[in-house]
Amino acid sequence: MTVHTRYRYELALCIPTHPPIPASPTRRPDLRLLAAGCSDSNSSSHSNPPPPPPHHHHHRPTFSSSSSSSQPPSTPTSSEPLAMPEEDITKYLRQSHARVFEHNRAWVTEQTKKDPEFFVKLSAGQKPEYLWIGCSDSRIPAEQITGLQPGEAFIHRNIANLVNNIDLNVMSVIQYAVRHLEVKHIIVCGHYGCGGVKAAMTPQDLGILNPWLRNIRDVYRQHSEELDAIPDESARYNRLVELNVIEQCRNVIKSAAVQQSYSKNKYPIVHGWVFGLDDGLLKDLNIGFEDMLAEIQKIYNLEDS
Amino acid sequence: MTYPNDDEFLYALSSNQAWASYKSHQNPAFFKTLTNEHAPSILWIGCADSRVPETTILGLPPGAVFVHRNFANIISPTDINTAAVIEHAVVNLKVKHIILCGHSACDGARATLTDSRAGGVLETWLTSLRVVRAQLASQLATIRDDHTKEIMIAEKNVEVGVAVLMANSTVQEHIKSRGLEVHGCFFDISSGRIRDLGLGTRMSTRRAPSTNGTAETVRGKHAQLVFREGGVAGMEAR
């Protein structure tokens, strides 16, 4: 597997290269600028675009604000030692933690302004239509990229959006979503450039990550002929991302909860999607749910309860 | 093939198209930047519940929060799924904060209050909450209101989860070497607000009365109520 050796020291997305943390915590650029490209300090609304209203699928929001020059995002990381005295680090950590609460209060004010009953309705219960199984990657907040509101999607996110038969964590989520919430769609969503997928193909002992990422190596092994024939490295990884999503869809369909509910209710339908970080768009892999289910049930049939 | 609920499915996909156009319109370099950068400063471990969309309720943009969400935000020490997320977030991404967040009206806590069995894998997964319920048995017996009981179980679940996080050797190492912080929080669905339960790495500093001049503190036996400006009240464990 010489093709993967380039990733030995790179670990792809795991080791970000960023400018060092600014000397003064107060000069640290607001993270929101990353999203908004705007200097309005009260701009939490910019990160939550108005979703199109239901039943008007071709609606596009109109925008009055012109896009201003964006500040280069320089989210600091501590891959390098922090170049500041210890008390400043403590102060910086305080502030970055406090900011989360400030943003939360701004969001509450905005939601309540739009709908005074919003939180009253929300606390009455949830009836989501979707179960989303996605990657933990911070760049793919399921609700924001799909425009879904609180209450609309039940979410599980783990490293590389894996669905493993013996992982009680994800299997419990699926069972609850299907049997109790009766979701209509289950979406397994991967993304191109997935650090977990790349790390999985790195010839290196990654400790506790080994058993988890091993699932991805298994996907590669099952499709090695196709993958080995792709000369371009990033194209090969992108294909592995897609194949991994398809394989995880299969794993969802192998569950008793999904098979039994589908046989009785004709839902949920399982979908495989991939998110493109470079354009923000979701791609439907069209996995062909019914055919996949029929094929799986030749061996994994758990329809009888 | 046909979907039973075409509307919802197409809605989500078309909504994504609108979102992508919106983001590119606001900042043409947005997705290019997103492709090249992954440096979240927060690892959020929360509930899969659809009413707790972390990045939205925190008012943060894509790229800011690394996320793990499971049923009832349970941190089980031998759960390989959570363990892999923590390892990657702490060691490779070097997040600065781990936030474990519980919430009110939690279905897991409600299920724990009854003796009926959830069955299958779910039953095994919820064992941790059954332990929490048993630990709180005497206090729960004095409460009539189920919502209050649920909140009590959900809060204790966060406390237990934070203790597991603090015992994780990777987490310990990074607290010591670079000041990683661990927090326990609680999201109140009926108001949309998150409050800090004062657990984890700040436990000792939180014992001091609030430094906020406008806050009024009422100390109880196990917790203190802090009333801040604008009618915000929070309970902090002592």
Side-chain angles (χ1 to χ4, degrees), chain B:
Chain B
M1 73 178 292
T2 56
Y3 303 116
N5 282 279
D6 262 338
D7 285 355
E8 287 82 3
F9 179 74
L10 293 174
Y11 172 60
L13 273 181
S14 71
S15 184
N16 163 250
Q17 302 276 327
W19 176 79
S21 315
Y22 179 80
K23 283 294 182 193
S24 303
H25 177 86
Q26 271 187 325
N27 175 3
F30 181 76
F31 290 110
K32 193 163 187 281
T33 309
L34 207 57
T35 309
N36 299 326
E37 308 239 347
H38 190 214
S41 58
I42 294 169
L43 164 61
W44 171 278
I45 303 176
C47 187
D49 194 297
S50 62
R51 297 163 298 175
V52 196
E54 74 305 316
T55 312
T56 305
I57 63 174
L58 295 176
L60 293 172
V65 190
F66 197 69
V67 178
H68 175 67
R69 287 169 66 180
N70 66 42
F71 189 53
N73 46 273
I74 289 171
I75 308 286
S76 182
T78 55
D79 171 36
I80 189 83
N81 188 329
T82 316
V85 171
I86 294 167
E87 184 78 8
H88 185 63
V90 171
V91 176
N92 298 321
L93 299 173
K94 296 198 162 46
V95 296
K96 297 183 178 65
H97 303 276
I98 300 178
I99 300 178
L100 173 62
C101 190
H103 68 100
S104 62
C106 180
D107 292 354
R110 189 179 314 132
T112 308
L113 277 177
T114 70
D115 289 323
S116 65
R117 298 284 161 200
V121 286
L122 197 54
E123 188 61 41
T124 308
W125 181 251
L126 287 174
T127 309
S128 312
L129 285 184
R130 300 256 182 223
V131 173
V132 167
R133 178 187 162 186
Q135 284 173 344
L136 294 173
S138 58
Q139 286 147 279
L140 289 170
T142 64
I143 299 168
R144 284 201 184 155
D145 176 43
D146 274 353
H147 293 298
T148 314
K149 286 184 185 178
E150 282 164 26
I151 287 171
M152 187 180 261
I153 287 179
E155 281 191 7
K156 184 75 178 172
N157 179 36
V158 174
E159 194 185 321
V160 170
V162 167
V164 175
L165 286 171
M166 296 291 285
N168 178 301
S169 62
T170 301
V171 172
Q172 282 180 349
E173 198 184 297
H174 285 253
I175 289 174
K176 211 172 157 190
S177 68
R178 61 180 181 90
L180 168 72
E181 297 206 13
V182 179
H183 313 276
C185 292
F186 203 80
F187 179 66
D188 176 21
I189 290 185
S190 64
S191 70
R193 287 173 196 266
I194 298 173
R195 63 197 155 84
D196 188 347
L197 295 176
L199 304 165
T201 46
R202 298 230 190 134
M203 208 160 180
S204 51
T205 56
R206 283 275 159 156
R207 286 208 185 107
S210 172
T211 49
N212 184 343
T214 56
E216 188 191 342
T217 306
V218 180
R219 290 193 189 83
K221 195 173 174 187
H222 301 292
Q224 58 188 19
L225 267 172
V226 181
F227 299 94
R228 294 198 177 83
E229 270 181 318
V232 184
M235 187 179 272
E236 296 175 348
R238 297 186 70 186

Side-chain angles (χ1 to χ4, degrees), chain A residues 131-209:
Chain A
L131 163 60
W132 173 284
I133 300 173
C135 186
S136 289
D137 194 301
S138 66
R139 297 165 296 181
I140 309 138
E143 296 86 354
Q144 286 185 13
I145 64 170
T146 54
L148 294 173
Q149 293 300 300
E152 292 187 319
F154 200 64
I155 311 271
H156 175 71
R157 289 170 63 182
N158 65 37
I159 303 282
N161 42 270
L162 295 177
V163 178
N164 187 318
N165 167 48
I166 58 166
D167 173 28
L168 291 183
N169 188 328
V170 69
M171 296 317 282
S172 298
V173 169
I174 293 173
Q175 186 182 325
Y176 189 76
V178 173
R179 293 202 173 142
H180 299 265
L181 299 173
E182 302 191 320
V183 295
K184 307 300 180 290
H185 303 277
I186 299 179
I187 293 146
V188 177
C189 187
H191 65 104
Y192 297 119
C194 180
V197 168
K198 280 187 180 169
M201 299 314 294
T202 307
Q204 191 185 343
D205 177 357
L206 296 172
I208 189 77
L209 283 164

